[in-house]
Amino acid sequence: MSNENVYLPGKIRDRIQDLMKSHKVTQAELAARIGCSESMLSRFISGKTDKLGDENIIRIARVFNVSTDFLLGEADVPDRLNYDISELGLSVQAARNLYTHRVNPQVVNALLENPEFANTTNLISGYLDDELAKGFAAQNQLYATVAGMLRGQPDAVDDIKKLQTPVYQADLTAIQRSFMAAIQAVKKEFGNGLLASRELTAQAAKKIYAELTKGQHKPNRKITPEQIGEAVAQSVSHLPGVDTELVKQMFLAMTGTVADNEKGTNDQ
């Protein structure tokens, strides 16, 4: 955390004056933005009155985008940790999807922290508002007009038609590139667990192989599915709470094999 985000200890009056100074906001401007009279705010800041009201304190915190704890002098870092749904611009359904993990909050959080994703959302916003599409539509209309004036020169008309751009294609291409750049950046932050999983798989394979070849002297010895099931079970026997017999039976069931002891039971 940089030092510029940490303020010296102070009371609410000190905080308001510091924030007004750092944001270059006058008392008159602040009073207008929170909806109270300038004289009332001035008297509070000067210490002539202690009456300002909880609602005005909350409004001041929102004007400067700081926490109320910071404004009241209970914290020296202004960053807010909590926001109302309405302040974030989220719908109730969107908040519910996050809260119930219907969407992955970890992924959403990583994307929101990524600057490239912010660019993606702006591009999508422009696309939904037809911002770029209108420009390309006007450009295409211009090309069409010029082509109409060159009817006697088919080659020139074809060349002009090639210059026309599908109205929404530029938007979609830019959105796709931006979004993929954001995804790739987030992937780097999450890290690549592929190598680790390969290493774990290799270790498990070595354990299974060691179990299968234990005491083996002939390289071409026939290995039965039940032996493989036993080896798989032994490879995970060190894990807490693992029932090796159950693991073995599950493996045999998945491979369509019945254990010898079960066969004997069924034959009786």
Side-chain angles (χ1 to χ4, degrees), residues 33-96:
R33 292 177 69 175
I34 67 174
C36 78
S37 66
E38 182 183 354
S39 61
M40 177 181 177
L41 180 61
S42 177
R43 288 171 55 225
F44 177 79
I45 292 176
S46 64
K48 294 179 179 178
T49 180
D50 291 327
K51 295 181 179 179
L52 184 62
D54 293 342
E55 187 60 36
N56 283 329
I57 292 174
I58 293 172
R59 288 172 182 169
I60 291 174
R62 288 178 177 174
V63 166
F64 294 115
N65 196 30
V66 298
S67 68
T68 51
D69 281 350
F70 171 77
L71 198 60
L72 294 170
E74 296 178 9
D76 296 332
V77 180
D79 298 338
R80 294 178 62 186
L81 300 178
N82 299 305
Y83 292 84
D84 293 334
I85 292 175
S86 59
E87 290 181 281
L88 294 174
L90 292 176
S91 67
V92 173
Q93 184 59 49
R96 183 182 293 119

Side-chain angles (χ1 to χ4, degrees), residues 2-20:
S2 59
N3 291 333
E4 64 184 16
N5 290 331
V6 179
Y7 283 65
L8 294 173
K11 300 299 181 181
I12 184 169
R13 293 178 175 83
D14 303 320
R15 291 285 194 244
I16 294 175
Q17 292 183 79
D18 288 343
L19 289 167
M20 286 169 48

Side-chain angles (χ1 to χ4, degrees), residues 229-250:
E230 182 68 32
V232 170
Q234 289 303 317
S235 72
V236 295
S237 61
H238 64 288
L239 298 176
V242 171
D243 185 335
T244 54
E245 183 60 30
L246 181 59
V247 171
K248 176 182 174 181
Q249 295 303 325
M250 287 177 63

Side-chain angles (χ1 to χ4, degrees), residues 169-214:
Q169 187 56 50
D171 303 58
L172 292 173
T173 300
I175 290 170
Q176 289 169 353
R177 287 176 179 171
S178 177
F179 185 64
M180 288 311 300
I183 292 294
Q184 289 166 358
V186 169
K187 175 62 175 173
K188 288 181 181 178
E189 292 177 9
F190 270 67
N192 190 343
L194 184 58
L195 294 178
S197 64
R198 283 178 177 171
E199 180 60 28
L200 289 173
T201 302
Q203 291 176 11
K206 287 179 181 178
K207 288 184 179 180
I208 293 173
Y209 180 77
E211 182 66 25
L212 288 172
T213 57
K214 185 168 56 177

Side-chain angles (χ1 to χ4, degrees), residues 125-138:
S125 178
Y127 172 74
L128 296 178
D129 290 340
D130 289 339
E131 189 177 304
L132 291 177
K134 291 175 183 177
F136 283 108

Side-chain angles (χ1 to χ4, degrees), residues 102-140:
R102 190 172 183 178
V103 297
N104 189 315
Q106 187 179 14
V107 173
V108 172
N109 187 71
L111 285 172
L112 290 177
E113 290 180 350
N114 185 269
E116 184 57 46
F117 186 68
N119 181 52
T120 304
T121 62
N122 291 330
L123 289 172
I124 294 174
S125 178
Y127 172 74
L128 296 178
D129 290 340
D130 289 339
E131 189 177 304
L132 291 177
K134 291 175 183 177
F136 283 108
Q139 176 181 286
N140 289 343

